[in-house]
Amino acid sequence: MINQEITERQKRLEQFLQHLESARQLEDDIMKYGLEAADLYFEDIDGDWLETWGDDDDEPGYIEKLTTFLESDDVVAVKVRERLQDKSLDEIIGGLEYCLSQLTQKDRIFAAKDFLVGNVVVNGSCRASGNSDFDEVELLELAEDLMDKLREILR
């Protein structure tokens, strides 16, 4: 067991050192070649890849998946729409994107709960809107269900 832990640590250390060496090489190339260094790392830098991004995908994108879910008859989606009826679909999607950007599952759930309460998300901080007539447990359950659904949908 101890031997396995050591080898796992060694593997992670080796990977880290490889990434560090790659980053150093990139930095050296940028210093040496300037913006032309991009040609060393990207094949079609001057192509139309940005304009055609996603054209070959048959699967809907991130925003489309969120929109489809929020407009569906899914029980969680219906509850979210009822709870946030004063917000536009774009505002709801923006709030959900903020919630999903949190690092831990626990933080995502609490961010979703705050969003469902009606707290306004402003540059990573929340400002309460004064709505205090809610059931904390129900809201946490809805936030957890919502994050589970979104994780399933966006997988």
Side-chain angles (χ1 to χ4, degrees):
M1 174 99 172
I2 293 174
N3 206 11
Q4 283 179 332
E5 188 174 315
I6 291 172
T7 58
E8 181 63 32
R9 285 184 182 171
Q10 287 173 338
K11 286 180 185 176
R12 289 194 325 219
L13 178 62
E14 287 174 16
Q15 284 180 332
F16 173 74
L17 291 174
Q18 288 173 352
H19 291 295
L20 185 61
E21 182 57 36
S22 297
R24 285 181 180 156
Q25 183 62 45
L26 173 64
E27 185 178 41
D28 288 344
D29 288 343
I30 290 173
M31 295 298 288
K32 187 174 182 181
Y33 301 109
L35 291 177
E36 300 299 318
D39 291 329
L40 299 172
Y41 292 89
F42 300 101
E43 290 178 23
D44 190 23
I45 195 73
D46 292 324
D48 66 343
W49 58 270
L50 185 58
E51 289 83 17
T52 60
W53 186 289
D55 286 354
D56 57 349
D57 294 340
D58 292 336
E59 189 174 319
Y62 180 82
I63 301 297
E64 290 82 9
K65 287 180 180 181
L66 283 176
T67 303
T68 302
F69 166 70
L70 289 170
E71 292 175 340
S72 73
D73 291 333
D74 185 281
V75 175
V76 175
V78 170
K79 287 181 182 179
V80 169
R81 284 196 314 263
E82 288 173 357
R83 189 91 192 122
L84 301 171
Q85 58 187 325
D86 60 326
K87 295 194 183 302
S88 71
L89 198 58
D90 289 338
E91 289 175 310
I92 295 172
I93 289 172
L96 293 178
E97 286 178 326
Y98 169 77
C99 296
L100 290 168
S101 71
Q102 301 305 301
L103 294 179
T104 67
Q105 178 66 15
K106 183 179 175 183
D107 290 341
R108 285 189 286 272
I109 291 171
F110 281 107
K113 183 198 72 84
D114 287 344
F115 182 65
L116 291 168
V117 168
N119 290 352
V120 181
V121 178
V122 180
N123 294 331
S125 63
C126 289
R127 185 177 73 234
S129 65
N131 187 0
S132 62
D133 59 339
F134 59 89
D135 182 5
E136 186 85 18
V137 175
E138 250 180 57
L139 230 54
L140 274 172
E141 287 175 355
L142 178 57
E144 190 171 1
D145 291 345
L146 176 59
M147 290 297 107
D148 288 343
K149 278 282 187 191
L150 293 179
R151 187 173 53 243
E152 178 183 313
I153 290 169
L154 299 174
R155 186 170 296 162

